mmCIF file with all atom_site columns, all heavy atoms in Angstrom:
data_model
loop_
_atom_site.group_PDB
_atom_site.id
_atom_site.type_symbol
_atom_site.label_atom_id
_atom_site.label_alt_id
_atom_site.label_comp_id
_atom_site.label_asym_id
_atom_site.label_entity_id
_atom_site.label_seq_id
_atom_site.pdbx_PDB_ins_code
_atom_site.Cartn_x
_atom_site.Cartn_y
_atom_site.Cartn_z
_atom_site.occupancy
_atom_site.B_iso_or_equiv
_atom_site.pdbx_formal_charge
_atom_site.auth_seq_id
_atom_site.auth_comp_id
_atom_site.auth_asym_id
_atom_site.auth_atom_id
_atom_site.pdbx_PDB_model_num
ATOM 1  N N   . SER A 1 39 ? 0.933   -5.997  14.255 1.00 95.00 ? 39 SER A N   1
ATOM 2  C CA  . SER A 1 39 ? 1.702   -5.693  15.465 1.00 95.00 ? 39 SER A CA  1
ATOM 3  C C   . SER A 1 39 ? 0.918   -4.528  16.254 1.00 95.00 ? 39 SER A C   1
ATOM 4  O O   . SER A 1 39 ? 0.835   -4.602  17.526 1.00 95.00 ? 39 SER A O   1
ATOM 5  C CB  . SER A 1 39 ? 3.067   -5.209  14.992 1.00 95.00 ? 39 SER A CB  1
ATOM 6  O OG  . SER A 1 39 ? 3.944   -5.230  16.074 1.00 95.00 ? 39 SER A OG  1
ATOM 7  N N   . ILE A 1 40 ? 0.488   -3.573  15.554 1.00 93.00 ? 40 ILE A N   1
ATOM 8  C CA  . ILE A 1 40 ? -0.229  -2.438  16.192 1.00 93.00 ? 40 ILE A CA  1
ATOM 9  C C   . ILE A 1 40 ? -1.504  -2.869  16.741 1.00 93.00 ? 40 ILE A C   1
ATOM 10 O O   . ILE A 1 40 ? -1.784  -2.607  17.986 1.00 93.00 ? 40 ILE A O   1
ATOM 11 C CB  . ILE A 1 40 ? -0.494  -1.303  15.171 1.00 93.00 ? 40 ILE A CB  1
ATOM 12 C CG1 . ILE A 1 40 ? 0.807   -0.620  14.613 1.00 93.00 ? 40 ILE A CG1 1
ATOM 13 C CG2 . ILE A 1 40 ? -1.439  -0.279  15.708 1.00 93.00 ? 40 ILE A CG2 1
ATOM 14 C CD1 . ILE A 1 40 ? 0.602   0.319   13.483 1.00 93.00 ? 40 ILE A CD1 1
ATOM 15 N N   . ALA A 1 41 ? -2.233  -3.753  16.047 1.00 93.00 ? 41 ALA A N   1
ATOM 16 C CA  . ALA A 1 41 ? -3.499  -4.230  16.547 1.00 93.00 ? 41 ALA A CA  1
ATOM 17 C C   . ALA A 1 41 ? -3.303  -5.139  17.806 1.00 93.00 ? 41 ALA A C   1
ATOM 18 O O   . ALA A 1 41 ? -4.120  -5.003  18.761 1.00 93.00 ? 41 ALA A O   1
ATOM 19 C CB  . ALA A 1 41 ? -4.233  -5.088  15.475 1.00 93.00 ? 41 ALA A CB  1
ATOM 20 N N   . ALA A 1 42 ? -2.360  -5.984  17.790 1.00 94.00 ? 42 ALA A N   1
ATOM 21 C CA  . ALA A 1 42 ? -2.074  -6.810  18.975 1.00 94.00 ? 42 ALA A CA  1
ATOM 22 C C   . ALA A 1 42 ? -1.717  -6.040  20.151 1.00 94.00 ? 42 ALA A C   1
ATOM 23 O O   . ALA A 1 42 ? -2.162  -6.408  21.302 1.00 94.00 ? 42 ALA A O   1
ATOM 24 C CB  . ALA A 1 42 ? -0.934  -7.878  18.623 1.00 94.00 ? 42 ALA A CB  1
ATOM 25 N N   . SER A 1 43 ? -1.007  -4.925  19.979 1.00 94.00 ? 43 SER A N   1
ATOM 26 C CA  . SER A 1 43 ? -0.593  -4.233  21.192 1.00 94.00 ? 43 SER A CA  1
ATOM 27 C C   . SER A 1 43 ? -1.686  -3.211  21.660 1.00 94.00 ? 43 SER A C   1
ATOM 28 O O   . SER A 1 43 ? -1.728  -2.916  22.830 1.00 94.00 ? 43 SER A O   1
ATOM 29 C CB  . SER A 1 43 ? 0.744   -3.487  20.915 1.00 94.00 ? 43 SER A CB  1
ATOM 30 O OG  . SER A 1 43 ? 0.494   -2.425  19.968 1.00 94.00 ? 43 SER A OG  1
ATOM 31 N N   . GLU A 1 44 ? -2.532  -2.699  20.738 1.00 91.00 ? 44 GLU A N   1
ATOM 32 C CA  . GLU A 1 44 ? -3.489  -1.715  21.079 1.00 91.00 ? 44 GLU A CA  1
ATOM 33 C C   . GLU A 1 44 ? -4.882  -2.273  21.218 1.00 91.00 ? 44 GLU A C   1
ATOM 34 O O   . GLU A 1 44 ? -5.805  -1.558  21.888 1.00 91.00 ? 44 GLU A O   1
ATOM 35 C CB  . GLU A 1 44 ? -3.443  -0.516  20.123 1.00 91.00 ? 44 GLU A CB  1
ATOM 36 C CG  . GLU A 1 44 ? -2.111  0.201   20.151 1.00 91.00 ? 44 GLU A CG  1
ATOM 37 C CD  . GLU A 1 44 ? -2.142  1.375   19.216 1.00 91.00 ? 44 GLU A CD  1
ATOM 38 O OE1 . GLU A 1 44 ? -3.173  1.833   18.721 1.00 91.00 ? 44 GLU A OE1 1
ATOM 39 O OE2 . GLU A 1 44 ? -1.046  1.961   19.030 1.00 91.00 ? 44 GLU A OE2 1
ATOM 40 N N   . ILE A 1 45 ? -5.193  -3.350  20.569 1.00 92.00 ? 45 ILE A N   1
ATOM 41 C CA  . ILE A 1 45 ? -6.604  -3.801  20.587 1.00 92.00 ? 45 ILE A CA  1
ATOM 42 C C   . ILE A 1 45 ? -6.559  -5.166  21.241 1.00 92.00 ? 45 ILE A C   1
ATOM 43 O O   . ILE A 1 45 ? -6.714  -5.351  22.435 1.00 92.00 ? 45 ILE A O   1
ATOM 44 C CB  . ILE A 1 45 ? -7.226  -3.837  19.264 1.00 92.00 ? 45 ILE A CB  1
ATOM 45 C CG1 . ILE A 1 45 ? -7.148  -2.375  18.689 1.00 92.00 ? 45 ILE A CG1 1
ATOM 46 C CG2 . ILE A 1 45 ? -8.683  -4.359  19.207 1.00 92.00 ? 45 ILE A CG2 1
ATOM 47 C CD1 . ILE A 1 45 ? -7.538  -2.257  17.269 1.00 92.00 ? 45 ILE A CD1 1
ATOM 48 N N   . ASP A 1 46 ? -6.355  -6.236  20.398 1.00 91.00 ? 46 ASP A N   1
ATOM 49 C CA  . ASP A 1 46 ? -6.215  -7.575  20.954 1.00 91.00 ? 46 ASP A CA  1
ATOM 50 C C   . ASP A 1 46 ? -5.722  -8.576  19.875 1.00 91.00 ? 46 ASP A C   1
ATOM 51 O O   . ASP A 1 46 ? -5.667  -8.250  18.624 1.00 91.00 ? 46 ASP A O   1
ATOM 52 C CB  . ASP A 1 46 ? -7.494  -8.131  21.538 1.00 91.00 ? 46 ASP A CB  1
ATOM 53 C CG  . ASP A 1 46 ? -8.706  -8.280  20.548 1.00 91.00 ? 46 ASP A CG  1
ATOM 54 O OD1 . ASP A 1 46 ? -8.571  -8.709  19.503 1.00 91.00 ? 46 ASP A OD1 1
ATOM 55 O OD2 . ASP A 1 46 ? -9.759  -7.874  20.893 1.00 91.00 ? 46 ASP A OD2 1
ATOM 56 N N   . ASP A 1 47 ? -5.271  -9.712  20.243 1.00 93.00 ? 47 ASP A N   1
ATOM 57 C CA  . ASP A 1 47 ? -4.650  -10.736 19.297 1.00 93.00 ? 47 ASP A CA  1
ATOM 58 C C   . ASP A 1 47 ? -5.815  -11.224 18.269 1.00 93.00 ? 47 ASP A C   1
ATOM 59 O O   . ASP A 1 47 ? -5.439  -11.528 17.171 1.00 93.00 ? 47 ASP A O   1
ATOM 60 C CB  . ASP A 1 47 ? -4.114  -11.899 20.046 1.00 93.00 ? 47 ASP A CB  1
ATOM 61 C CG  . ASP A 1 47 ? -2.855  -11.553 20.741 1.00 93.00 ? 47 ASP A CG  1
ATOM 62 O OD1 . ASP A 1 47 ? -2.187  -10.557 20.425 1.00 93.00 ? 47 ASP A OD1 1
ATOM 63 O OD2 . ASP A 1 47 ? -2.520  -12.257 21.681 1.00 93.00 ? 47 ASP A OD2 1
ATOM 64 N N   . GLY A 1 48 ? -6.974  -11.264 18.697 1.00 92.00 ? 48 GLY A N   1
ATOM 65 C CA  . GLY A 1 48 ? -8.102  -11.702 17.778 1.00 92.00 ? 48 GLY A CA  1
ATOM 66 C C   . GLY A 1 48 ? -8.237  -10.691 16.634 1.00 92.00 ? 48 GLY A C   1
ATOM 67 O O   . GLY A 1 48 ? -8.427  -11.176 15.507 1.00 92.00 ? 48 GLY A O   1
ATOM 68 N N   . PHE A 1 49 ? -8.132  -9.440  16.899 1.00 91.00 ? 49 PHE A N   1
ATOM 69 C CA  . PHE A 1 49 ? -8.192  -8.484  15.806 1.00 91.00 ? 49 PHE A CA  1
ATOM 70 C C   . PHE A 1 49 ? -7.040  -8.554  14.913 1.00 91.00 ? 49 PHE A C   1
ATOM 71 O O   . PHE A 1 49 ? -7.140  -8.638  13.637 1.00 91.00 ? 49 PHE A O   1
ATOM 72 C CB  . PHE A 1 49 ? -8.278  -7.027  16.345 1.00 91.00 ? 49 PHE A CB  1
ATOM 73 C CG  . PHE A 1 49 ? -8.596  -5.997  15.343 1.00 91.00 ? 49 PHE A CG  1
ATOM 74 C CD1 . PHE A 1 49 ? -9.841  -5.535  15.121 1.00 91.00 ? 49 PHE A CD1 1
ATOM 75 C CD2 . PHE A 1 49 ? -7.548  -5.346  14.694 1.00 91.00 ? 49 PHE A CD2 1
ATOM 76 C CE1 . PHE A 1 49 ? -10.128 -4.550  14.208 1.00 91.00 ? 49 PHE A CE1 1
ATOM 77 C CE2 . PHE A 1 49 ? -7.796  -4.384  13.756 1.00 91.00 ? 49 PHE A CE2 1
ATOM 78 C CZ  . PHE A 1 49 ? -9.089  -3.949  13.493 1.00 91.00 ? 49 PHE A CZ  1
ATOM 79 N N   . ALA A 1 50 ? -5.822  -8.736  15.428 1.00 94.00 ? 50 ALA A N   1
ATOM 80 C CA  . ALA A 1 50 ? -4.597  -8.867  14.664 1.00 94.00 ? 50 ALA A CA  1
ATOM 81 C C   . ALA A 1 50 ? -4.643  -10.125 13.799 1.00 94.00 ? 50 ALA A C   1
ATOM 82 O O   . ALA A 1 50 ? -4.231  -10.001 12.658 1.00 94.00 ? 50 ALA A O   1
ATOM 83 C CB  . ALA A 1 50 ? -3.375  -8.979  15.670 1.00 94.00 ? 50 ALA A CB  1
#
Side-chain angles (χ1 to χ4, degrees):
S39 198
I40 293 169
S43 68
E44 296 184 11
I45 302 169
D46 61 47
D47 290 337
F49 189 92

